[in-house]
Amino acid sequence: MTAFLVITWVAIVVLFLGLAAVLREVRLLRATVARDPGGFASAGAEIDLGARFAGRVVVAADTGCPLCREVVGQLTGAVVLTHEPAEAWDTELEVVSDREAWRAVSHLAPPVLMLVGTNGVVRRVALPVRAGQVDEVLDDWGVRGGAHAGTDS
């Protein structure tokens, strides 16, 4: 009976130490996340829009979205990608109605700002939630107003 009690208490102590180790790891992970203001970044999906959009800043937008219209109004030299007829847009920008390219980004909530490399593959993606973020994103990408990107990085 004494051996049973000793083994039971040793097992309880081992389980307690294991729980303490797990809680320590969780605390360290929580501290790491809190320390990084940028949060976590996921691996981007490879979106190929094709040669038509190569080297450009593209905004996927819908006329039914007020923020989309505001973002399009801030851009110069960019391409508007939509699923609607091009005539639905009242803008100086080039409007491309391409259902296949739209389908590649339709799972994202518009407006979707994309920096497309010279090979037609999207290199950077941003989902602005207010119009003021557009200039910040474009400055971060090194293009102003949405003008021609010209790089493949």
Side-chain angles (χ1 to χ4, degrees):
M1 184 72 172
T2 305
F4 176 74
L5 289 175
V6 170
I7 291 174
T8 302
W9 278 106
V10 168
I12 289 172
V13 169
V14 169
L15 288 174
F16 178 75
L17 292 175
L19 177 63
V22 169
L23 292 176
R24 179 179 177 274
E25 292 296 321
V26 169
R27 190 181 68 223
L28 290 173
L29 180 60
R30 190 175 292 154
T32 301
V33 170
R35 192 174 339 129
D36 183 11
F40 288 103
S42 64
E46 188 163 309
I47 301 171
D48 188 354
L49 294 180
R52 185 177 199 175
F53 301 99
R56 307 284 301 270
V57 172
V58 178
V59 58
D62 188 313
T63 56
C65 163
L67 180 59
C68 294
R69 292 193 306 268
E70 204 171 331
V71 167
V72 167
Q74 288 185 335
L75 297 173
T76 56
V79 177
V80 178
L81 170 63
T82 185
H83 61 92
E84 305 164 311
E87 299 79 33
W89 285 90
D90 182 26
T91 181
E92 305 260 333
L93 299 177
E94 177 185 354
V95 179
V96 176
S97 181
D98 185 339
R99 290 196 182 272
E100 288 302 315
W102 179 265
R103 197 169 294 138
V105 296
S106 64
H107 62 285
L108 301 170
V112 180
L113 279 173
M114 298 172 281
L115 180 63
V116 182
T118 55
N119 59 355
V121 175
V122 174
R123 296 292 172 213
R124 312 262 320 256
V125 176
L127 302 171
V129 293
R130 54 182 200 285
Q133 289 179 307
V134 174
D135 288 336
E136 296 170 14
V137 168
L138 295 176
D139 286 343
D140 183 47
W141 292 351
V143 293
R144 189 46 136 152
H148 195 275
T151 63
D152 200 16
S153 57

